[in-house]
């Protein structure tokens, strides 16, 4: 059984505790403790507090934060892309808690937020195409690979590409 987790819209006050969780989950040695990291593909910071603050301040976006026993354990970003489309991004759970079902809860909360806050009928996301286990995780949640590829937002050598996944809400 999962320990109780609270998922709510993040505020600026949450960002100092949330930012290190994001970095631990995506990059560096600590990320290797989980299974969803990019540490073997990309170096450097994943994000920063000003970028997270811009998400929190933007009425077309929601940053949801997951907390357990008062500790911040993860997040997910939902962005309104208009015309019934929302975008899911920045999903992470602290590497020490991955495989505990918390990511599934955050995905469900993101979809619910997309429907209620933005009246979305579809959700899309991008996943680095070589991250097959992560793509399979989303496929088990009802997402499908659309066949569309996008460039990774940061130029790298060799370049990385993103698969676009979609789901009807």
């Amino acid at each position: 059984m999962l320990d109780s987790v609270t998922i709510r819209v993040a505020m600026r006050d949450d960002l100092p505790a949330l930012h290190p969780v994001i970095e631990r989950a995506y990059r560096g040695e600590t990320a290797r403790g989980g299974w969803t990291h990019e540490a073997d593909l990309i170096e450097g910071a994943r994000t920063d507090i000003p970028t997270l603050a811009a998400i929190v301040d933007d009425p077309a976006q929601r940053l949801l934060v997951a907390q357990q026993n008062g500790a911040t354990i993860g997040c997910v970003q939902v962005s309104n892309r208009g015309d019934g489309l929302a975008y899911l991004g920045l999903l992470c759970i602290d590497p020490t808690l991955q495989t505990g079902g918390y990511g599934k809860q955050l995905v469900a909360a993101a979809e619910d937020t997309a429907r209620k806050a933005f009246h979305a009928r579809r959700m899309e996301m991008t996943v680095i195409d070589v991250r097959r286990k992560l793509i399979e995780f989303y496929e088990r949640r009802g997402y499908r690979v659309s066949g569309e590829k996008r460039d990774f937002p940061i130029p790298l050598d060799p370049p990385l590409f993103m698969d676009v996944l979609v789901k009807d809400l």
Side-chain angles (χ1 to χ4, degrees):
M1 183 170 147
L2 295 176
D3 290 332
S4 178
V5 171
T6 301
I7 300 172
R8 61 173 175 75
V9 175
M11 298 174 290
R12 278 178 165 253
D13 291 351
D14 295 309
L15 302 182
L18 177 58
H19 180 250
V21 173
I22 294 168
E23 295 304 319
R24 281 196 307 273
Y26 278 96
R27 308 279 168 81
E29 277 306 311
T30 56
R32 290 182 173 88
W35 67 275
T36 64
H37 65 84
E38 302 170 343
D40 297 327
L41 300 170
I42 307 160
E43 295 179 358
R46 172 62 172 80
T47 191
D48 55 35
I49 289 183
T51 300
L52 296 172
I55 295 167
V56 168
D57 293 345
D58 184 347
Q61 300 189 74
R62 300 291 185 278
L63 183 61
L64 305 180
V65 61
Q67 295 179 314
Q68 180 180 60
N69 302 322
T72 299
I73 65 165
C75 69
V76 66
Q77 173 187 1
V78 184
S79 304
N80 184 4
R81 295 284 170 93
D83 204 24
L85 178 65
Y87 181 86
L88 185 153
L90 204 57
L91 175 67
C92 73
I93 294 293
D94 189 288
T96 63
L97 298 172
Q98 289 178 13
T99 73
Y102 304 115
K104 293 174 194 171
Q105 290 182 51
L106 275 168
V107 169
E111 292 170 354
D112 191 51
T113 297
R115 282 189 292 269
K116 290 178 179 173
F118 304 131
H119 307 289
R121 298 178 306 279
R122 290 182 313 120
M123 182 81 88
E124 80 171 14
M125 70 178 73
T126 55
V127 179
I128 299 171
D129 61 0
V130 296
R131 298 181 69 203
R132 298 307 313 160
K133 285 184 180 180
L134 187 56
I135 290 170
E136 290 167 3
F137 167 84
Y138 288 119
E139 287 176 329
R140 291 190 298 274
R141 315 270 94 58
Y143 289 82
R144 62 180 174 74
V145 177
S146 69
E148 179 185 352
K149 292 236 187 236
R150 295 182 186 159
D151 291 335
F152 190 75
I154 301 167
L156 298 170
D157 186 21
L160 291 175
F161 299 96
M162 311 289 282
D163 277 336
V164 177
L165 281 65
V166 295
K167 178 180 180 177
D168 290 332
L169 299 177

